Amino acid sequence: MASNLFTKWLQRVSTSHQGVILYGERHGARSIGLSAVKALLGAHFVGETTIVQAGGYTKASVIIANSLPSNKQTRSGDLGELLATEYLNSETSFVVPIKKLRWKSDRQMPMHGNDVIGVDTKAKPRRVLKGECKSRAAFSKGVVEEAVESLDLHDGRPNPSTLAFIAKRLYEEKRDEEANVFRDLQCGGTIAAKSVTHMIFALSGNDPAKHLANGPKSKHSGIKRENAAIVISDHGAFITAVYKAYGA
């Protein structure tokens, strides 16, 4: 389902660098973007069910604020992960089944495990996406190298701990059919390289397309690579404005 993020706030930007999907803000659409992301903060960090049980957004505002990071680095990284999840669910055939930021044990710390895992259950055989999210005011070659190094861990496949984490959350929510997919990804041997896609997702203050396109390839042959980026020129100011909506 298309998201307001990609239909009203952001637009595709042409680039000469192959293999990179690039987005920038539409002219005059910042307020739309902030409004959309504000709603997503509650959904990703707390969850609609909890907000309703707490009495709605006004009464749950303290819960939401105390779930959001206040240090700059974690704010930046968590927002990148949130936008990557929305991008995959809205603009690709992959589905990220849970908003895992809800289960952070400490709001100031990033979560362990893979940043995003998505599946394309309609593909035969089933395809799995392993994503690394990087949010930087100034995106550089070294950031891509760092992302590739992380993607290549576990033979380039998803971290088994992350797959188990997702399966447990889905079973808890009685979403057994989806949970079984992540259960089965942990069984029956290694996931074939041809069924794995790596993605680097950038939230950047500068155009990262050159670095993404020219970055090192996976050392595991057969794994596909996709790159996507959102460029926000006032990267730091935008992130501050996003979290300020809840007084975080």
Side-chain angles (χ1 to χ4, degrees):
M1 181 178 178
S3 163
N4 279 353
L5 295 177
F6 300 94
T7 58
K8 297 183 179 180
W9 173 43
L10 301 170
Q11 61 185 353
R12 284 283 295 270
V13 178
S14 61
T15 176
S16 60
H17 299 285
Q18 294 186 347
V20 180
I21 295 175
L22 195 64
Y23 289 90
E25 291 186 282
R26 297 175 187 270
H27 180 70
R30 171 61 61 90
S31 62
I32 296 174
L34 288 175
S35 178
V37 176
K38 176 184 176 181
L40 290 170
L41 286 179
H44 278 259
F45 283 88
V46 177
E48 297 89 340
T49 300
T50 298
I51 291 170
V52 170
Q53 291 175 325
Y57 272 92
T58 300
K59 291 185 176 181
S61 61
V62 175
I63 296 174
I64 297 170
N66 287 332
S67 299
L68 301 176
S70 60
N71 70 68
K72 290 182 179 180
Q73 184 174 354
T74 307
R75 280 181 168 187
S76 178
D78 284 355
L79 184 59
E81 184 175 312
L82 182 158
L83 291 172
T85 298
E86 292 297 319
Y87 165 73
L88 286 169
N89 284 340
S90 173
E91 305 300 308
T92 78
S93 60
F94 292 100
V95 174
V96 182
I98 65 169
K99 298 175 176 65
K100 69 184 185 70
L101 293 171
R102 294 177 186 176
W103 288 276
K104 292 186 67 171
S105 59
D106 185 331
R107 64 176 178 165
Q108 307 293 17
M109 300 294 293
M111 289 191 75
H112 296 298
N114 299 138
D115 289 344
V116 287
I117 298 293
V119 293
D120 181 353
T121 56
K122 295 181 181 179
K124 302 297 180 184
R126 180 181 296 120
R127 296 168 61 216
V128 182
L129 181 138
K130 177 182 183 180
E132 185 73 11
C133 309
K134 296 295 182 184
S135 180
R136 298 288 192 278
F139 206 87
S140 65
K141 175 184 176 182
V143 179
V144 178
E145 293 171 346
E146 180 183 321
V148 173
E149 184 177 355
S150 295
L151 289 169
D152 275 340
L153 295 175
H154 301 284
D155 292 326
R157 277 66 170 181
N159 184 336
S161 295
T162 304
L163 295 176
F165 177 87
I166 295 171
K168 288 184 287 186
R169 303 293 80 79
L170 290 171
Y171 281 126
E172 288 170 357
E173 295 181 358
K174 310 301 181 185
R175 296 162 62 186
D176 291 5
E177 185 174 348
E178 295 170 89
N180 290 342
V181 172
F182 286 85
R183 176 202 64 194
D184 293 346
L185 287 172
Q186 301 170 65
C187 305
T190 303
I191 303 168
K194 66 181 181 180
S195 297
V196 178
T197 297
H198 284 174
M199 183 189 75
I200 301 176
F201 183 91
L203 175 62
S204 178
N206 61 331
D207 184 347
K210 178 180 71 174
H211 299 303
L212 290 169
N214 297 325
K217 305 303 179 186
S218 173
K219 64 183 180 182
H220 304 289
S221 61
I223 293 178
K224 301 179 182 67
R225 167 75 57 73
E226 295 184 1
N227 302 291
I230 297 173
V231 178
I232 307 293
S233 58
D234 58 339
H235 178 273
F238 174 75
I239 292 173
T240 298
V242 165
Y243 288 96
K244 186 178 180 181
Y246 284 106

